[in-house]
Amino acid sequence: MKSPNFSATIHFMDSKRLDLNLLVTLEALLVEQNVTKAAARLHLSQPAVSAQLSRLRDEFDDPLLIPAQRGMNPTAKAIELLDPLRRALDQVRATVATHRNFDPAKAQLTVTIACTDYLQAAVVKPLVMELRTRAPGVRVALRNLDTPQLEAQMARGDVDLALMTPEIAPPSFRTRHLFDERYVLIGRRNHPQLRDGITVEKFAQLEHVIVSLGGAGFVTPVDNALLALGHSRNVVLSAASFLFVPEIVSQSDFVALVPERLVHGRADKLQWIDCPFPVKGFAVGMVWHERSHGHSGQRWIRETVVALINAKTSNRRGPAEER
């Protein structure tokens, strides 16, 4: 029998009143053709199954099962329903099992991640490379982090995961600390003035590239800290993206303060040292909405990010905590 017959029957029924659990009972009754055996199969009492059978007869406007000398015999409509009913329920069971037991090698999933360009390079790039090997059916869509809009974006499902400073995330969101980042002073390989022990005065005299995410800014909190020490930086270039900075620094005598993970793997073109005065770093974490917390695929993505971070962090903290 074709499943459209079953669909048409369900359409004929009042789906607003139908308890879908009744279909599971119907399947057991049609297979066992015995109320007692169906009750045992469903872990229900015999009176409960008898009551559900009565409701099913009303819903389908058919006896469905007729008492016989041994057990019960299905009616013509019941025989017509059994095969498409089982296929439909098997599909539901398979969907539930897939959701519960995520298989990355077979999964088809799109995850949307919001973050800055720096975190695209430091975290998302290695994640994407890992996914191509372990989960080739998982696609990643990147969005620029828009903190004021993040809560609405996640509520709508436009963003699944954000990489950001957890402290500025909406308090209702789930968060997980990934790592603490620090700034380093970078320059090209064999830069003549970039060496450990550089003075604050010499630091200020170098030609600096800074990042102004809003665009066209030439002052950052670093400049305020430097001014308190009696110096001002020689800023020659204000960039709108962190990703632009290592490339231009590697081809000039410019220097820049950047997050350390941005320059990992670039020792062939760059060198870096500690800043000669204290510069406050920042925490990086994952942020997600409650709506995706229990999704097995999304959970696997988050755990993969944590594993990749931990594998590259030699001096890491204890197990990351969620809130």
Side-chain angles (χ1 to χ4, degrees):
M1 297 297 168
K2 301 294 186 181
S3 57
N5 291 337
F6 179 66
S7 300
T9 303
I10 293 298
H11 180 72
F12 170 78
M13 299 164 57
D14 185 351
S15 60
K16 291 183 179 179
R17 294 190 300 111
L18 177 64
D19 179 355
L20 294 181
N21 286 325
L22 290 177
L23 299 180
V24 178
T25 299
L26 177 58
E27 178 193 35
L29 285 165
L30 295 181
V31 171
E32 299 292 348
Q33 298 182 13
N34 183 290
V35 172
T36 301
K37 291 181 179 179
R41 177 181 182 138
L42 297 168
H43 304 288
L44 297 174
S45 67
Q46 183 174 335
V49 173
S50 295
Q52 290 184 356
L53 175 57
S54 178
R55 289 180 59 190
L56 284 163
R57 285 167 169 163
D58 291 340
E59 294 287 357
F60 283 96
D61 192 24
D62 187 87
L64 297 176
L65 291 161
I66 301 172
Q69 186 175 2
R70 291 187 178 181
M72 309 178 84
N73 292 330
T75 65
K77 177 173 280 190
I79 293 172
E80 183 183 70
L81 287 172
L82 178 58
D83 188 46
L85 172 64
R86 297 193 75 175
R87 286 202 299 270
L89 291 176
D90 284 346
Q91 185 174 3
V92 171
R93 294 181 186 112
T95 299
V96 172
T98 299
H99 175 75
R100 186 173 56 246
N101 303 312
F102 182 75
D103 184 349
K106 299 179 180 179
Q108 299 294 318
L109 176 68
T110 298
V111 57
T112 302
I113 301 176
C115 61
T116 63
D117 58 350
Y118 145 64
L119 288 171
Q120 289 177 21
V123 179
V124 180
K125 180 181 176 181
L127 171 65
V128 171
M129 301 306 294
E130 182 77 3
L131 293 179
R132 301 322 303 151
T133 301
R134 298 180 57 194
V138 176
R139 304 185 303 176
V140 175
L142 291 176
R143 297 185 64 148
N144 290 326
L145 181 66
D146 185 350
T147 305
Q149 295 297 318
L150 185 60
E151 189 165 13
Q153 290 173 338
M154 284 195 164
R156 291 194 304 264
D158 294 340
V159 172
D160 299 308
L161 185 67
L163 304 174
M164 60 189 295
T165 302
E167 288 75 12
I168 64 174
S172 61
F173 282 5
R174 296 266 185 168
T175 65
R176 185 166 186 171
H177 178 273
L178 291 176
F179 57 89
D180 293 313
E181 182 62 288
R182 72 186 191 108
Y183 286 96
V184 293
L185 182 64
I186 67 169
R188 66 173 174 82
R189 290 288 300 170
N190 302 316
H191 191 291
Q193 296 172 301
L194 199 65
R195 58 178 62 91
D196 288 329
I198 187 175
T199 64
V200 176
E201 181 180 9
K202 190 61 180 179
F203 168 90
Q205 293 171 355
L206 294 171
E207 294 184 316
H208 287 260
V209 179
I210 69 167
V211 175
S212 173
L213 297 179
F218 283 86
V219 177
T220 74
V222 172
D223 295 282
N224 298 330
L226 192 59
L227 190 61
L229 298 175
H231 299 280
S232 60
R233 267 195 301 186
N234 177 25
V235 178
V236 298
L237 174 63
S238 174
S241 167
F242 271 111
L243 301 186
F244 170 76
V245 175
E247 187 65 23
I248 194 167
V249 166
S250 69
Q251 300 178 32
S252 66
D253 282 339
F254 297 161
V255 298
L257 277 174
V258 300
E260 185 177 19
R261 286 175 182 258
L262 182 66
V263 293
H264 281 183
R266 304 194 188 196
D268 58 328
K269 294 183 177 181
L270 297 169
Q271 67 182 84
W272 51 93
I273 62 173
D274 291 337
C275 185
F277 60 96
V279 174
K280 185 178 180 180
F282 57 95
V284 173
M286 294 186 295
V287 177
W288 65 96
H289 196 278
E290 192 68 32
R291 66 190 298 277
S292 62
H293 179 65
H295 188 283
S296 61
Q298 298 286 347
R299 184 171 60 247
W300 184 85
I301 292 291
R302 295 192 298 266
E303 293 301 329
T304 300
V305 171
V306 171
L308 289 171
I309 293 296
N310 287 346
K312 294 186 177 182
T313 304
S314 57
N315 186 23
R316 61 181 183 267
R317 295 167 44 169
E321 295 182 354
E322 294 180 11
R323 69 165 172 85

